[in-house]
Amino acid sequence: MAHNNYDTPQFGRKVTNWTSPSVPDADVLQGRYAELVPLKADDHADMLYKAYEGHDQLWDYMPYGPFSSASEYRRWIQQTVNTSGHRFYAIRNLETETWEGVASYLRIDPANGSIEVGNITYSPALQRTRAATEAMFLMMQWAFTAGYRRYEWKCNALNLPSRRAAQRLGFSFEGVFRQATVVKGRNRDTAWFAAIDGEWPALQKAFDTWLSSSNFREGVQIKRLADLTQAIRVSSDPLLQNRG
């Protein structure tokens, strides 16, 4: 009886010199512009609700929200942070010294070295700031430094700002999963993006260049992060090609 030789390339390259990473365990992710700490209802709910209040559009593509009161948001945090498979962080903008956003790790799969970033909810005060970008950099940095091979970003395919953000941050477009889920009674097609460990050194350099104080003049960027990450990405989102 013939036996397949699984050492040949047709079955995929062997993964060598790699050990399954740990689940996220960092208590603080510290940067120059942003600080991320584990999300806690008592510490963060009231300030985050205030940052989000009056901006119900922030929840348009999320499976939860908007919230009608600080107490309702507090209950959501209490219930959610105890859910296994997630690691939620509150984001503090160090330039304003206020808590202005949330993000999490999810779909954490150490056995395969895969992890996703999601539940990203940035208040208007945090959006388009250095802290907003650095928060994503810090989470990506932790994942690849810990030994993850694949770092994912998924979003509702109709959420054009999220798709644009993923590409700007250096995630490569991998396709759209049709009728992936039902969210708030509506169909959701899911757009998939990912970065892998082999791309991390170049991505880290791109982030370092963009975040450098020399890249800003009177608070305005000189080099765009999207331009710095463009050559690193192996594929682009076709929906963004003709949209600027």
Side-chain angles (χ1 to χ4, degrees):
M1 179 181 295
H3 294 278
N4 287 326
N5 179 5
Y6 290 105
D7 289 333
T8 60
Q10 73 186 86
F11 299 109
R13 65 177 176 82
K14 282 193 170 182
V15 178
T16 58
N17 300 317
W18 177 76
T19 303
S20 297
S22 64
V23 298
D25 57 1
D27 286 335
V28 178
L29 300 177
Q30 185 69 51
R32 287 171 287 178
Y33 308 109
E35 178 185 62
L36 285 70
V37 303
L39 178 64
K40 296 180 180 179
D42 290 343
D43 293 344
H44 308 119
D46 291 345
M47 287 181 282
L48 285 170
Y49 178 77
K50 184 177 181 180
Y52 297 145
E53 190 174 14
H55 304 285
D56 287 357
Q57 73 279 3
L58 296 174
W59 313 100
D60 284 350
Y61 294 106
M62 305 296 277
Y64 43 80
F67 300 93
S68 61
S69 65
S71 59
E72 183 184 6
Y73 184 59
R74 176 186 292 268
R75 286 193 298 273
W76 177 84
I77 293 177
Q78 290 170 334
Q79 295 166 359
T80 303
V81 296
N82 294 322
T83 302
S84 62
H86 293 78
R87 176 73 167 181
F88 275 84
Y89 288 94
I91 302 169
R92 185 161 69 108
N93 185 340
L94 296 179
E95 295 187 288
T96 62
E97 293 296 330
T98 55
W99 300 99
E100 297 177 350
V102 167
S104 82
Y105 294 118
L106 68 159
R107 299 186 185 276
I108 302 164
D109 184 2
N112 291 301
S114 178
I115 192 169
E116 181 180 343
V117 60
N119 294 296
I120 302 165
T121 314
Y122 282 1
S123 69
L126 183 60
Q127 294 172 15
R128 304 181 70 84
T129 66
R130 284 179 281 193
T133 296
E134 188 178 48
M136 291 296 96
F137 164 69
L138 291 170
M139 292 184 72
M140 186 184 293
Q141 178 176 249
W142 183 90
F144 285 126
T145 301
Y148 283 88
R149 305 171 62 238
R150 175 178 170 83
Y151 192 63
E152 297 181 334
W153 176 298
K154 303 187 186 81
C155 63
N156 190 311
L158 296 174
N159 189 348
L160 188 62
S162 185
R163 293 174 71 156
R164 185 178 288 113
Q167 186 158 286
R168 172 181 178 266
L169 293 167
F171 290 85
S172 295
F173 177 73
E174 295 187 335
V176 173
F177 281 41
R178 299 173 299 161
Q179 297 188 185
T181 57
V182 176
V183 177
K184 296 178 179 175
R186 295 180 181 272
N187 175 68
R188 169 175 150 157
D189 296 349
T190 297
W192 286 53
F193 299 81
I196 61 173
D197 54 357
E199 297 158 356
W200 170 238
L203 286 172
Q204 184 176 31
K205 184 176 180 180
F207 279 106
D208 286 342
T209 298
W210 189 85
L211 288 165
S212 171
S213 58
S214 63
N215 189 45
F216 291 85
R217 184 176 294 115
E218 296 182 356
V220 179
Q221 67 179 354
I222 300 171
K223 295 181 179 179
R224 299 169 65 245
L225 183 59
D227 294 335
L228 294 170
T229 60
Q230 183 176 7
I232 305 168
R233 292 184 286 101
V234 298
S235 55
S236 298
D237 187 338
L239 191 64
L240 304 179
Q241 295 299 337
N242 299 315
R243 293 177 179 259

